[in-house]
Every structure is written in C-alpha cells, then in structure tokens.
Amino acid sequence: SSISYAAGGCYNLEIIGTKTKNVSMTNTSGHSLFVPISGSTKILLKEGSFGVIDRNGTDGSASFSLPNPASGSYDVFARVVGKPGTGIDMTTCAYDAAGALFCSENSLSLRRVAGTSKFVNVSRELLSIQADIDGDGDVDSVGLFSDLLQDYYWQTDTQGRVHAQLKFCPR
C-alpha cells in the first residue's frame, strides 16, 4: 500500500483558529481545518488516504483521514506561524472496547514566539498514545489505529487566532 503525497513530497495540513462559526470553506484547497480561537475541538481520525473529511471544527469536531503509521513510512512535523502569543495543544486519545478513554501522556504543545518558526518532529505525540492501557502500572505505547483501541482522535486546545501547520512527510 503506497501513500500518495502532494508535490514537494509532503501532505500539508493547516489548523486555523477563527472566531466565526460559519467559516468560509472556499479557496482552502481542502487542506485546512478550522477551530475556535479559544477552546477545544476533537479532530476525529479515520484510517485512509490523507484528506480532510470535515473541516469545520468550530462546532466541536472536525475529521481527518491518514494512513496507518504502523509501517513507519512517514513522520509528522509541526510549527505555529502567525501572531506571537497564539498556541495549540494536541493530545492523541482513543477508547478501549469497554469505553474507557485513554489519552497520551505525551502531548504536542506549541506556542508562537517572535522570530522564525521551525518545524519540529511530532510523530511520537500525534501518531501514538503513551498510557497505561493494560492496567499494569507501566506506560504502554500504542500506535494510531492499533486494534487495542478504537475511535482515535486528537484533542485540540487553542489559544488565540492560531495557525498551525502540520506536514506528513515520507521517511
């Protein structure tokens, strides 16, 4: 199963904070998710080709599909651009068969500061969950879309009119 990437080798996804509930969905070339300028949004994750399924997260949830990272064929890089002082926190979460929620102990936390904004590798934070899944007191690492859990999502909390850029790049 090959993964198709856009020109330049990477699939680009923008997460944009907005105060408008009725976001204009035109001229975004299908690679943008809109979230409230402050508050929480669940970005529901589906296994499949890279693509935005529901871009309007101002109603509490958006959805995005991405290939199963188990093959280790890609990495995720992130940065925040735009106005200094804005930020985003993202935590990978999922449920077990009994409905218990597990959220990773490793969260992505990015803040925009003045100066250049560099991409950082956030694969561990966004492509797996580090939590005590089996109840033995030790932290387990469960990859995104593992059969151990279901209904994966990124719990996203934003501060200000954030503009986060994610790049999914082949290794």
Side-chain angles (χ1 to χ4, degrees):
S1 70
S2 67
I3 299 172
S4 68
Y5 295 91
C10 299
Y11 180 90
N12 299 312
L13 178 67
E14 313 271 333
I15 300 175
I16 301 168
T18 180
K19 58 184 168 187
T20 309
K21 281 274 188 208
N22 300 320
V23 179
S24 169
M25 302 297 168
T26 57
N27 300 322
T28 61
S29 64
H31 290 254
S32 302
L33 297 174
F34 296 93
V35 297
I37 58 172
S38 62
S40 295
T41 301
K42 281 184 180 180
I43 299 175
L44 308 175
L45 302 173
K46 306 284 183 221
E47 188 174 347
S49 300
F50 288 113
V52 171
I53 299 166
D54 172 11
R55 70 185 55 214
N56 186 4
T58 62
D59 59 2
S61 71
S63 55
F64 178 65
S65 67
L66 67 167
N68 189 321
S71 63
S73 61
Y74 67 93
D75 283 311
V76 186
F77 300 88
R79 72 176 178 179
V80 176
V81 296
K83 188 175 179 185
T86 60
I88 190 167
D89 297 308
M90 294 174 73
T91 305
T92 305
C93 300
Y95 297 91
D96 70 6
L101 176 64
F102 292 93
C103 290
S104 185
E105 293 180 9
N106 289 347
S107 293
L108 164 64
S109 184
L110 294 175
R111 298 292 170 273
R112 178 70 174 107
V113 293
T116 16
S117 179
K118 293 183 175 26
F119 279 100
V120 293
N121 190 323
V122 296
S123 300
R124 187 163 191 251
E125 293 84 352
L126 297 185
L127 299 180
S128 64
I129 294 175
Q130 285 76 40
D132 181 8
I133 307 291
D134 58 14
D136 66 0
D138 294 326
V139 174
D140 305 299
S141 183
V142 176
L144 199 64
F145 306 128
S146 162
D147 292 340
L148 292 173
L149 300 171
Q150 58 202 23
D151 300 326
Y152 288 83
Y153 66 92
W154 291 325
Q155 180 61 50
T156 305
D157 296 290
T158 52
Q159 302 84 40
R161 197 181 286 261
V162 72
H163 185 160
Q165 297 176 327
L166 300 181
K167 285 183 167 293
F168 300 82
C169 299
R171 283 201 176 140

Short mmCIF file of all heavy atoms in Angstrom, two decimals, residues 13-15 77-81 88 108 110-112 116-120 122 162-167:
data_model
loop_
_atom_site.label_atom_id
_atom_site.label_comp_id
_atom_site.label_asym_id
_atom_site.label_seq_id
_atom_site.Cartn_x
_atom_site.Cartn_y
_atom_site.Cartn_z
N LEU A 13 -1.21 20.03 6.14
CA LEU A 13 -2.49 20.29 6.79
C LEU A 13 -2.37 21.55 7.63
O LEU A 13 -1.41 21.70 8.39
CB LEU A 13 -2.87 19.10 7.69
CG LEU A 13 -4.17 19.26 8.48
CD1 LEU A 13 -5.38 19.28 7.54
CD2 LEU A 13 -4.31 18.13 9.50
N GLU A 14 -3.33 22.45 7.50
CA GLU A 14 -3.35 23.69 8.26
C GLU A 14 -4.47 23.60 9.30
O GLU A 14 -5.57 23.15 8.98
CB GLU A 14 -3.64 24.89 7.35
CG GLU A 14 -2.84 24.93 6.08
CD GLU A 14 -1.51 25.65 6.22
OE1 GLU A 14 -1.40 26.53 7.08
OE2 GLU A 14 -0.58 25.31 5.46
N ILE A 15 -4.18 24.02 10.53
CA ILE A 15 -5.20 24.12 11.57
C ILE A 15 -5.27 25.60 11.93
O ILE A 15 -4.29 26.17 12.41
CB ILE A 15 -4.86 23.25 12.79
CG1 ILE A 15 -4.76 21.79 12.37
CG2 ILE A 15 -5.93 23.44 13.88
CD1 ILE A 15 -4.30 20.85 13.47
N PHE A 77 5.59 16.65 11.14
CA PHE A 77 6.30 17.82 11.61
C PHE A 77 5.28 18.93 11.81
O PHE A 77 4.30 19.02 11.07
CB PHE A 77 7.36 18.26 10.59
CG PHE A 77 8.39 17.19 10.34
CD1 PHE A 77 8.19 16.22 9.36
CD2 PHE A 77 9.54 17.12 11.11
CE1 PHE A 77 9.12 15.23 9.14
CE2 PHE A 77 10.48 16.12 10.90
CZ PHE A 77 10.27 15.17 9.91
N ALA A 78 5.50 19.79 12.82
CA ALA A 78 4.54 20.86 13.11
C ALA A 78 5.25 22.15 13.45
O ALA A 78 6.39 22.14 13.96
CB ALA A 78 3.63 20.45 14.28
N ARG A 79 4.57 23.25 13.19
CA ARG A 79 5.02 24.57 13.63
C ARG A 79 3.80 25.46 13.73
O ARG A 79 2.74 25.18 13.15
CB ARG A 79 6.06 25.17 12.70
CG ARG A 79 5.51 25.63 11.37
CD ARG A 79 6.58 26.31 10.54
NE ARG A 79 6.06 26.70 9.23
CZ ARG A 79 6.78 27.32 8.32
NH1 ARG A 79 8.05 27.59 8.54
NH2 ARG A 79 6.22 27.65 7.16
N VAL A 80 3.94 26.55 14.48
CA VAL A 80 2.90 27.57 14.57
C VAL A 80 3.44 28.83 13.91
O VAL A 80 4.56 29.26 14.21
CB VAL A 80 2.49 27.85 16.04
CG1 VAL A 80 1.49 28.98 16.12
CG2 VAL A 80 1.91 26.59 16.68
N VAL A 81 2.66 29.39 12.99
CA VAL A 81 3.03 30.63 12.32
C VAL A 81 1.98 31.67 12.68
O VAL A 81 0.97 31.36 13.29
CB VAL A 81 3.14 30.45 10.78
CG1 VAL A 81 4.25 29.48 10.43
CG2 VAL A 81 1.83 29.98 10.19
N ILE A 88 -1.20 26.07 20.39
CA ILE A 88 -2.05 24.90 20.21
C ILE A 88 -1.49 23.75 21.03
O ILE A 88 -0.28 23.60 21.16
CB ILE A 88 -2.16 24.52 18.71
CG1 ILE A 88 -3.23 23.46 18.49
CG2 ILE A 88 -0.81 24.08 18.14
CD1 ILE A 88 -3.60 23.27 17.02
N LEU A 108 1.44 17.32 22.27
CA LEU A 108 2.08 18.37 21.48
C LEU A 108 1.65 19.70 22.08
O LEU A 108 0.46 19.93 22.30
CB LEU A 108 1.62 18.26 20.02
CG LEU A 108 1.87 19.45 19.12
CD1 LEU A 108 3.36 19.68 18.95
CD2 LEU A 108 1.22 19.21 17.77
N LEU A 110 2.59 23.71 21.30
CA LEU A 110 3.36 24.69 20.52
C LEU A 110 2.85 26.10 20.79
O LEU A 110 1.64 26.33 20.82
CB LEU A 110 3.25 24.40 19.03
CG LEU A 110 3.86 23.11 18.50
CD1 LEU A 110 3.54 22.94 17.02
CD2 LEU A 110 5.37 23.11 18.71
N ARG A 111 3.76 27.04 20.99
CA ARG A 111 3.43 28.45 21.17
C ARG A 111 4.20 29.26 20.14
O ARG A 111 5.36 28.98 19.86
CB ARG A 111 3.83 28.94 22.57
CG ARG A 111 3.14 28.24 23.71
CD ARG A 111 1.65 28.58 23.76
NE ARG A 111 0.94 27.74 24.70
CZ ARG A 111 0.42 26.56 24.42
NH1 ARG A 111 0.53 26.04 23.23
NH2 ARG A 111 -0.24 25.87 25.33
N ARG A 112 3.55 30.27 19.61
CA ARG A 112 4.20 31.16 18.63
C ARG A 112 4.94 32.24 19.39
O ARG A 112 4.35 32.96 20.20
CB ARG A 112 3.15 31.76 17.70
CG ARG A 112 3.71 32.73 16.69
CD ARG A 112 4.56 32.00 15.63
NE ARG A 112 4.96 32.91 14.59
CZ ARG A 112 6.20 33.38 14.45
NH1 ARG A 112 7.16 33.01 15.25
NH2 ARG A 112 6.48 34.21 13.47
N THR A 116 11.73 33.38 13.82
CA THR A 116 11.41 32.31 12.88
C THR A 116 10.69 31.17 13.58
O THR A 116 10.89 30.93 14.75
CB THR A 116 12.68 31.71 12.24
OG1 THR A 116 13.80 32.08 12.99
CG2 THR A 116 12.82 32.08 10.81
N SER A 117 9.86 30.51 12.81
CA SER A 117 9.11 29.36 13.31
C SER A 117 9.63 28.13 12.59
O SER A 117 9.53 28.03 11.38
CB SER A 117 7.63 29.58 13.04
OG SER A 117 6.89 28.48 13.49
N LYS A 118 10.20 27.19 13.33
CA LYS A 118 10.79 25.99 12.73
C LYS A 118 9.88 24.78 12.94
O LYS A 118 9.25 24.65 13.98
CB LYS A 118 12.15 25.71 13.35
CG LYS A 118 13.20 26.76 13.03
CD LYS A 118 14.55 26.35 13.62
CE LYS A 118 15.70 27.24 13.27
NZ LYS A 118 15.51 28.57 12.95
N PHE A 119 9.88 23.89 11.95
CA PHE A 119 9.15 22.65 12.08
C PHE A 119 9.87 21.72 13.06
O PHE A 119 11.09 21.63 13.03
CB PHE A 119 9.03 21.94 10.72
CG PHE A 119 7.94 22.50 9.85
CD1 PHE A 119 8.24 23.38 8.83
CD2 PHE A 119 6.61 22.12 10.05
CE1 PHE A 119 7.23 23.89 8.02
CE2 PHE A 119 5.60 22.62 9.25
CZ PHE A 119 5.91 23.51 8.24
N VAL A 120 9.10 21.06 13.92
CA VAL A 120 9.65 20.06 14.83
C VAL A 120 8.94 18.73 14.59
O VAL A 120 7.77 18.70 14.20
CB VAL A 120 9.51 20.48 16.32
CG1 VAL A 120 10.37 21.68 16.63
CG2 VAL A 120 8.07 20.75 16.68
N VAL A 122 6.88 15.77 15.46
CA VAL A 122 5.86 15.50 16.47
C VAL A 122 5.20 14.13 16.23
O VAL A 122 4.08 13.88 16.67
CB VAL A 122 4.78 16.62 16.50
CG1 VAL A 122 5.41 17.95 16.92
CG2 VAL A 122 4.10 16.77 15.15
N VAL A 162 -4.79 30.98 16.25
CA VAL A 162 -3.65 30.13 15.93
C VAL A 162 -3.65 29.72 14.46
O VAL A 162 -4.71 29.62 13.84
CB VAL A 162 -3.63 28.88 16.85
CG1 VAL A 162 -4.73 27.91 16.48
CG2 VAL A 162 -2.27 28.20 16.83
N HIS A 163 -2.46 29.53 13.93
CA HIS A 163 -2.30 28.97 12.59
C HIS A 163 -1.18 27.94 12.70
O HIS A 163 0.00 28.28 12.70
CB HIS A 163 -1.94 30.05 11.58
CG HIS A 163 -1.89 29.56 10.17
ND1 HIS A 163 -2.00 30.38 9.10
CD2 HIS A 163 -1.74 28.31 9.65
CE1 HIS A 163 -1.92 29.67 7.97
NE2 HIS A 163 -1.75 28.40 8.30
N ALA A 164 -1.57 26.69 12.84
CA ALA A 164 -0.61 25.59 12.95
C ALA A 164 -0.48 24.91 11.60
O ALA A 164 -1.46 24.76 10.88
CB ALA A 164 -1.05 24.59 14.01
N GLN A 165 0.73 24.51 11.28
CA GLN A 165 0.99 23.79 10.04
C GLN A 165 1.54 22.41 10.40
O GLN A 165 2.49 22.30 11.18
CB GLN A 165 2.00 24.53 9.18
CG GLN A 165 1.49 25.89 8.72
CD GLN A 165 2.54 26.67 7.94
OE1 GLN A 165 3.73 26.56 8.20
NE2 GLN A 165 2.09 27.45 6.98
N LEU A 166 0.92 21.37 9.85
CA LEU A 166 1.41 20.00 10.01
C LEU A 166 1.86 19.50 8.64
O LEU A 166 1.19 19.74 7.63
CB LEU A 166 0.31 19.08 10.54
CG LEU A 166 -0.31 19.41 11.89
CD1 LEU A 166 -1.37 18.36 12.26
CD2 LEU A 166 0.74 19.49 12.97
N LYS A 167 2.99 18.83 8.61
CA LYS A 167 3.50 18.21 7.39
C LYS A 167 3.67 16.73 7.64
O LYS A 167 4.30 16.34 8.62
CB LYS A 167 4.87 18.79 7.01
CG LYS A 167 4.84 20.17 6.41
CD LYS A 167 6.27 20.57 6.02
CE LYS A 167 6.30 21.79 5.15
NZ LYS A 167 5.73 21.60 3.83
#
